[in-house]
Amino acid sequence: MFTKYGKRVKLVRVPILFRGQSDPALRLFYIAQSKGKEEEIDTALFDARFRYGVDNFDPQVVGYLARTNGLEQAYEKEAAADWVGRRIADGHARADADGVEATPTLVIQGVLRLVPDSSMNDFVANLDKVVGQLLK
């Protein structure tokens, strides 16, 4: 979809937590983002959870993902940094303001909320139709 619409569409990932989840995965995500490795870590976290059935909120799993993606030193140094905590808090505030209660949720132009209720393939196909209509 991004190749189809180019710079007319921008994806902003905002990871959030739900009750009982710990935040190491979010900390790793923001550190990776600051190092230009957002895509790699996003994929690694998704695959850990949905391809391999691993708890990607487990600190040991997050440490492994940091190591295997070349972020071990940055993660050890910056995981507890104030700027990372602020990014997490900002993400929660944004999710609250946008009424996000499930993941994944796509918020389009701050108004339209889309949550998949079928397969991800169907969701993506329908999303392409929605975006195409909005960009007309």
Side-chain angles (χ1 to χ4, degrees):
M1 182 170 67
F2 295 106
T3 55
K4 181 177 180 179
Y5 297 111
K7 293 182 180 183
R8 297 172 64 196
V9 173
K10 180 180 178 183
L11 174 66
V12 178
R13 292 177 177 92
V14 181
I16 59 174
L17 297 172
F18 294 102
R19 184 174 295 144
Q21 294 175 325
S22 61
D23 68 5
L26 274 65
R27 292 179 180 281
L28 178 58
F29 174 84
Y30 286 121
I31 291 165
Q33 189 178 57
S34 76
K35 306 296 182 194
K37 292 191 168 195
E38 175 180 347
E39 293 288 332
E40 292 94 321
I41 288 300
D42 188 59
T43 299
L45 288 166
F46 184 88
D47 285 351
R49 183 67 162 192
F50 297 106
R51 180 177 284 180
Y52 304 112
V54 176
D55 180 4
N56 61 359
F57 291 98
D58 181 320
Q60 290 181 331
V61 171
V62 173
Y64 172 79
L65 295 175
R67 278 191 307 282
T68 58
N69 285 279
L71 292 165
E72 181 177 25
Q73 290 180 345
Y75 181 70
E76 288 176 1
K77 180 181 176 186
E78 298 179 53
D82 288 341
W83 73 267
V84 177
R86 283 191 303 273
R87 295 290 305 274
I88 292 170
D90 290 348
H92 288 297
R94 185 173 187 172
D96 288 344
D98 287 339
V100 173
E101 297 177 359
T103 60
T105 298
L106 295 176
V107 179
I108 300 175
Q109 296 180 335
V111 179
L112 180 62
R113 283 164 208 69
L114 301 174
V115 181
D117 62 357
S118 59
S119 76
M120 191 55 73
N121 288 337
D122 292 343
F123 178 70
V124 171
N126 290 331
L127 177 62
D128 184 40
K129 291 176 188 174
V130 169
V131 171
Q133 290 297 314
L134 290 171
L135 293 176
K136 280 188 177 181

